[in-house]
Amino acid sequence: MQRNIKLTLEYDGTGFNGWQIQARHQRTVAGEIEKALKKIFRKNIRLIGSGRTDSGVHALGQAANFKTTSPMKPDQMRRALNANLPDDIAVLKVEEVLAGFHAQYSVRSKTYRYTILNRDVRGPLQRRYCLVYPYPLNLRRMKEEAKALVGRHDFRSFQAANPSRDEKATTVRTVRRVGITKKGDFIHIDIEADGFLYKMVRNIVGTLLEVGQGRLPKGSIRSILAQKDRALAGDTARPQGLTLVKVEY
Amino acid sequence: MQRNIKLTLEYDGTGFNGWQIQARHQRTVAGEIEKALKKIFRKNIRLIGSGRTDSGVHALGQAANFKTTSPMKPDQMRRALNANLPDDIAVLKVEEVLAGFHAQYSVRSKTYRYTILNRDVRGPLQRRYCLVYPYPLNLRRMKEEAKALVGRHDFRSFQAANPSRDEKATTVRTVRRVGITKKGDFIHIDIEADGFLYKMVRNIVGTLLEVGQGRLPKGSIRSILAQKDRALAGDTARPQGLTLVKVEY
């Protein structure tokens, strides 16, 4: 009998060329997991991720699924996978799910966290997991502007300059929450949405950094959204600061 | 005029053979800083640390000092040092201090943090900075037993089995605080003392893990302290989980 298996994954994106890419001989997260699946089940198994994470982007709760006819118990699969995966990937959970479950199409919401180390010296312990931003940031202003992102909007202005996707696909998404919190010198920007355009979080973060620096007037984010022009938003923040925290179904 | 300069340092211990070792051609934290000082001041400068950290042990607030006759301003030194140091070391602060200040002898207290990831799967994002401990831990019991550590005691039982130091040196230290806190799957053990014996924190952590697992009866830590016998305490916890958080003068 065909079974549908869902994985919850943590990984350090530093050593990967993203979740999955077309080119061969590049180390990818999905590629490493598919190699482990092949070792365990002695078959080529295609892994479906909730979406691709870019090179350098991390995950604390990425989700994926695959089909198998193996009778192996989920917990046994989890142990076998962790034993066959490298140190920078861990399978946190293995669950058997309904046949209709699809890691990408069944997504209800995703939460990303972007981490900024707001000081003028690099952070050796966090250097793979944050953006070091040396200029003062006005958090109150950032929080105020970020409110304009919440809700159902066309996020075309925050899409990658050269999206590789279908040009006709909708760029409307619903952002459920933007949380901006400070802990010591670290600032976390958490964004939950029903889906994200390519580089959307990093473009939003780049724009919020300009807001925090006082380089954009009040009402800018609302206006950038309305004008649907990528050229108006800020730079794309570096991938190292980004972590896919949670995928909900 | 001879000036005395104090440094506050953060480093990722993963890529170092500790703070300083005798053997040449090994990469050490002090060695890298002395190399940078030589480049900046064109002289051999001896760096004095608050104490040595072992291979793999990290620091968020290590302290060190050196003497120089250079008129360079502290902030300029900080920029020059950070520009000449590798990514895994950062100079957070440079201060001119009184001639009598000695990074090792003037210490009033140090605080170490030991981080445990208490789950049965490795943590890719934290793999260099914690101990993964897969068995359930009774935190209430650990906190209760840890109280016996606080105060002025002979910590001989928690000293390294083969201390390289003077055998006649005192093994009496004053522990000011032991804090055990849980955040998600992470457990932090914070210990503040006027000084630490070699491997003392890691041996205390190894013993607290046995306490948490219920393998040591109530009153064990008090009894281990009283018997002054290293063989009674737990295993030495791995260095990766240890961070020198703060040195006070």
Side-chain angles (χ1 to χ4, degrees):
Chain A
M1 202 192 74
Q2 182 94 320
R3 297 161 72 207
N4 194 5
I5 307 295
K6 180 189 171 200
L7 305 180
T8 305
L9 305 161
E10 175 175 335
Y11 51 82
D12 178 336
T14 311
F16 296 104
N17 286 292
W19 172 258
Q20 196 169 49
I21 42 159
Q22 304 305 331
R24 279 167 177 272
H25 310 300
Q26 298 254 44
R27 189 171 183 264
T28 65
V29 181
E32 292 296 314
I33 299 170
E34 286 177 349
K35 260 200 272 177
L37 290 170
K38 187 170 186 174
K39 267 195 213 161
I40 296 164
F41 299 113
R42 318 224 161 242
K43 272 186 192 164
N44 285 316
I45 291 179
R46 201 172 93 80
L47 187 70
I48 299 161
S50 77
R52 296 179 180 185
T53 51
D54 279 340
S55 201
V57 174
H58 317 288
L60 279 169
Q62 168 68 297
N65 77 301
F66 66 91
K67 306 279 172 90
T68 180
T69 53
S70 158
M72 195 184 285
K73 285 182 183 153
D75 208 56
Q76 207 180 337
M77 284 188 201
R78 189 173 70 109
R79 277 194 303 272
L81 277 165
N82 283 319
N84 283 287
L85 281 169
D87 252 17
D88 46 0
I89 307 179
V91 177
L92 305 182
K93 222 192 265 181
V94 176
E95 299 160 277
E96 189 158 355
V97 287
L98 295 175
F101 176 88
H102 186 284
Q104 188 186 345
Y105 303 140
S106 312
V107 170
R108 282 203 310 133
S109 82
K110 288 187 183 186
T111 304
Y112 277 98
R113 162 165 282 196
Y114 198 93
T115 300
I116 297 156
L117 177 53
N118 190 202
R119 70 180 191 194
D120 67 349
V121 191
R122 64 179 166 263
L125 292 180
Q126 293 295 322
R127 69 194 188 281
R128 298 176 188 87
Y129 313 113
C130 67
L131 165 75
V132 176
Y133 195 78
Y135 312 109
L137 289 168
N138 184 332
L139 247 73
R140 202 176 41 79
R141 210 163 169 157
M142 289 166 72
K143 285 180 194 175
E144 195 54 39
E145 278 295 305
K147 285 180 189 164
L149 297 164
V150 179
R152 188 172 160 83
H153 304 288
D154 186 333
F155 283 93
R156 189 174 308 232
S157 297
F158 294 101
Q159 189 175 222
N162 306 309
S164 54
R165 310 229 179 127
D166 181 3
E167 292 270 325
K168 280 176 264 172
T170 177
T171 46
V172 172
R173 296 291 184 277
T174 300
V175 168
R176 301 230 167 91
R177 192 174 68 88
V178 182
I180 303 179
T181 49
K182 191 171 160 66
K183 204 187 161 186
D185 289 334
F186 289 96
I187 294 168
H188 297 293
I189 301 180
D190 297 303
I191 308 184
E192 184 186 341
D194 62 351
F196 290 89
L197 303 172
Y198 188 49
K199 293 196 180 165
M200 177 170 147
V201 180
R202 291 162 57 194
N203 290 339
I204 287 175
V205 169
T207 309
L208 284 172
L209 287 172
E210 295 200 8
V211 166
Q213 259 283 286
R215 288 204 301 257
L216 288 174
K218 210 174 151 177
S220 290
I221 290 197
R222 187 173 306 279
S223 148
I224 291 167
L225 275 171
Q227 291 176 72
K228 296 173 193 162
D229 180 359
R230 171 67 187 93
L232 299 171
D235 292 338
T236 308
R238 72 196 286 253
Q240 285 78 350
L242 188 61
T243 303
L244 172 56
V245 173
K246 201 164 59 175
V247 183
E248 284 175 287
Y249 292 96
Chain B
M1 200 192 77
Q2 182 93 320
R3 296 162 72 205
N4 194 5
I5 307 296
K6 181 189 172 200
L7 305 179
T8 304
L9 305 160
E10 175 174 335
Y11 50 83
D12 178 336
T14 311
F16 295 105
N17 285 292
W19 172 258
Q20 196 169 49
I21 43 157
Q22 303 305 331
R24 278 166 176 273
H25 310 301
Q26 298 253 43
R27 189 171 182 263
T28 65
V29 181
E32 292 297 314
I33 299 171
E34 286 176 348
K35 259 199 271 179
L37 290 170
K38 187 169 185 174
K39 267 195 214 162
I40 297 165
F41 298 113
R42 316 224 162 243
K43 272 188 190 163
N44 285 317
I45 291 179
R46 201 172 92 79
L47 187 72
I48 299 162
S50 79
R52 295 178 180 187
T53 50
D54 279 340
S55 202
V57 173
H58 316 289
L60 279 170
Q62 168 69 296
N65 77 301
F66 67 90
K67 306 279 173 89
T68 180
T69 53
S70 159
M72 196 184 284
K73 284 182 183 154
D75 208 55
Q76 207 180 338
M77 284 188 201
R78 190 172 70 110
R79 279 196 301 272
L81 277 164
N82 283 319
N84 283 286
L85 282 168
D87 253 16
D88 47 0
I89 308 180
V91 176
L92 305 183
K93 222 192 267 182
V94 176
E95 299 161 277
E96 188 159 356
V97 288
L98 295 175
F101 176 87
H102 186 285
Q104 187 187 347
Y105 302 140
S106 311
V107 171
R108 282 202 312 134
S109 81
K110 287 187 183 185
T111 303
Y112 277 98
R113 162 165 282 196
Y114 197 93
T115 301
I116 297 156
L117 177 54
N118 190 203
R119 70 180 191 194
D120 67 350
V121 189
R122 64 178 166 264
L125 291 181
Q126 294 295 321
R127 68 193 189 282
R128 298 175 187 90
Y129 313 112
C130 67
L131 165 76
V132 176
Y133 195 78
Y135 312 109
L137 289 169
N138 184 331
L139 246 71
R140 202 177 41 78
R141 210 164 170 155
M142 289 165 73
K143 285 180 193 174
E144 194 54 39
E145 278 295 305
K147 286 181 189 163
L149 296 164
V150 179
R152 187 171 159 83
H153 303 288
D154 186 333
F155 283 93
R156 190 174 306 233
S157 297
F158 294 100
Q159 189 175 221
N162 306 308
S164 53
R165 309 231 180 126
D166 181 2
E167 292 270 324
K168 280 177 265 171
T170 176
T171 46
V172 173
R173 295 290 184 279
T174 301
V175 168
R176 302 230 167 92
R177 193 175 68 88
V178 182
I180 303 179
T181 49
K182 191 171 159 65
K183 205 188 161 187
D185 289 335
F186 288 95
I187 294 168
H188 297 292
I189 302 180
D190 296 303
I191 307 184
E192 183 186 342
D194 61 351
F196 290 90
L197 303 172
Y198 189 49
K199 293 195 179 164
M200 178 169 148
V201 179
R202 292 161 58 195
N203 290 338
I204 287 175
V205 169
T207 309
L208 284 173
L209 288 172
E210 295 201 9
V211 166
Q213 259 283 285
R215 287 204 302 257
L216 287 175
K218 211 175 149 174
S220 289
I221 289 197
R222 187 173 305 279
S223 147
I224 291 168
L225 274 172
Q227 291 176 73
K228 296 173 194 164
D229 179 359
R230 171 67 188 95
L232 299 170
D235 292 338
T236 308
R238 73 196 286 254
Q240 285 80 350
L242 189 60
T243 303
L244 172 56
V245 173
K246 200 164 58 174
V247 183
E248 284 176 286
Y249 292 97

